Amino acid sequence: MKVKLSAVIITYNEEENIERCISSIKGVAEEIIVVDSFSSDKTVEIAKFNGAIVFQNKFKGYSNQKKFGINKCSSNYILSLDADECLSENLQVSMKDIKKNYNSDAYEMNRKNNYLGQWINYCGWYPDKKIRLFDKNKASWNNNYVHEKVVLKDGATTGFLKGDILHYSIKNKAHHYRTIDHYSTLYAQMMHEKGKQGFIYLGVIKAIVKFLKLYFYKLGILDGINGWRICKASAYSIYLRNKKCKDLYNEKV
């Protein structure tokens, strides 16, 4: 079955990334929807100049933004990307080919992460499989504020596409820790709303286990100094979200 694709990109102050993202999907998607959280830079201007249809929506979590974008799409077939991601040339070819014979309800693909200018091959970061192409009648984003993922409906089928989503994730160490702080806050809020208390000592234990798993079992040691930094920061994020969840619980009581 031949299909047309609608691409959804969520943005907030992404003037450095948005043009690269849109350029990589221009030959793949017939429609490009950008959902912007009221950027203060030139994100909206650049997106419109590159042919995107832009909607602005107050940020209430990553899943909410992506669902908002899906509701603006004219096609049932959705390609979802973040602004700091783009499609590799091989993945562009794979998507063009699958559009001619779309035979699964959703498609999974690898994501490759760039950290401080280095492509990361280990640390649990590659292959970082993601479902990013799907029929919106068969799948949708869950309700997580952060670490959102596509959930398939019962009976939905999944295929796999060759090529990588290229994720330009972290520009510098300060950017990394700002991201951890932001994500851990959202994660703590999500867990607090589910009635979780958060336990600091348990967070410490989980952080140590996380580091050992990523650095040794997931071979982060082979990514050199950046592997060490990633594994250490990932462990810290586990501790931080538990601490923030505990703080929210203490405020409530």
Side-chain angles (χ1 to χ4, degrees):
M1 178 180 63
K2 191 173 182 179
V3 302
K4 293 183 178 181
L5 296 184
S6 292
V8 176
I9 308 166
I10 64 171
T11 60
Y12 177 69
N13 289 346
E14 293 285 358
E15 63 181 9
E16 294 181 11
N17 295 313
I18 188 62
E19 184 172 7
R20 178 181 58 224
C21 180
I22 292 175
S23 294
S24 76
I25 60 179
K26 275 186 175 179
V28 174
E30 282 74 21
E31 177 181 58
I32 300 174
I33 302 294
V34 167
V35 180
D36 182 73
S37 303
F38 297 94
S39 292
S40 58
D41 65 3
K42 295 182 179 179
T43 298
V44 170
E45 178 183 337
I46 295 170
K48 288 180 177 179
F49 180 79
N50 282 274
I53 302 168
V54 179
F55 297 92
Q56 290 191 301
N57 190 51
K58 184 179 179 180
F59 185 83
K60 296 179 182 178
Y62 291 97
S63 292
N64 182 73
Q65 290 297 91
K66 293 178 179 182
K67 288 180 178 180
F68 179 90
I70 289 172
N71 289 334
K72 299 297 183 182
C73 293
S74 62
S75 174
N76 289 332
Y77 300 93
I78 308 299
L79 167 61
S80 183
L81 289 179
D82 293 337
D84 59 358
E85 298 174 335
C86 66
L87 307 182
S88 70
E89 291 184 4
N90 287 341
L91 187 52
Q92 291 176 40
V93 171
S94 295
M95 286 194 178
K96 289 176 183 177
D97 288 342
I98 208 66
K99 284 173 61 181
K100 301 172 186 176
N101 185 26
Y102 196 99
N103 51 26
S104 294
D105 297 315
Y107 286 90
E108 199 172 41
M109 57 211 74
N110 292 334
R111 183 172 72 165
K112 195 159 194 175
N113 296 281
N114 189 290
Y115 183 86
L116 307 185
Q118 176 184 340
W119 292 109
I120 302 301
N121 295 309
Y122 302 101
C123 299
W125 277 24
Y126 190 81
D128 182 18
K129 289 186 178 180
K130 303 289 184 185
I131 294 175
R132 291 299 186 82
L133 178 61
F134 55 91
D135 179 348
K136 68 181 182 182
N137 293 316
K138 300 289 185 177
S140 187
W141 293 98
N142 62 12
N143 293 319
N144 288 3
Y145 292 167
V146 66
H147 301 311
E148 70 284 0
K149 66 178 181 178
V150 174
V151 178
L152 303 178
K153 294 184 179 179
D154 291 343
T157 58
T158 307
F160 181 80
L161 297 181
K162 294 180 179 179
D164 295 323
I165 296 173
L166 302 178
H167 185 206
Y168 294 85
S169 57
I170 303 296
K171 297 177 289 186
N172 52 58
K173 287 185 284 184
H175 176 215
H176 194 183
Y177 281 90
R178 285 197 304 271
T179 300
I180 288 173
D181 184 58
H182 174 61
Y183 276 35
S184 61
T185 297
L186 291 174
Y187 190 92
Q189 289 172 349
M190 181 175 68
M191 298 308 294
H192 178 66
E193 289 176 7
K194 292 180 179 180
K196 303 293 184 180
Q197 292 186 29
F199 296 95
I200 294 178
Y201 292 120
L202 182 60
V204 171
I205 293 170
K206 287 184 174 181
I208 293 171
V209 171
K210 183 74 169 181
F211 175 82
L212 294 175
K213 178 182 178 181
L214 295 182
Y215 196 64
F216 294 107
Y217 182 70
K218 294 293 185 179
L219 301 178
I221 191 172
L222 298 182
D223 281 314
I225 186 61
N226 283 336
W228 167 267
R229 289 168 176 157
I230 289 168
C231 296
K232 184 176 67 171
S234 296
Y236 174 65
S237 71
I238 296 293
Y239 163 77
L240 192 60
R241 69 193 191 190
N242 277 273
K243 181 183 182 301
K244 289 183 177 181
C245 186
K246 180 63 174 177
D247 290 343
L248 288 172
Y249 176 79
N250 289 339
E251 289 175 7
K252 183 178 179 181
V253 297

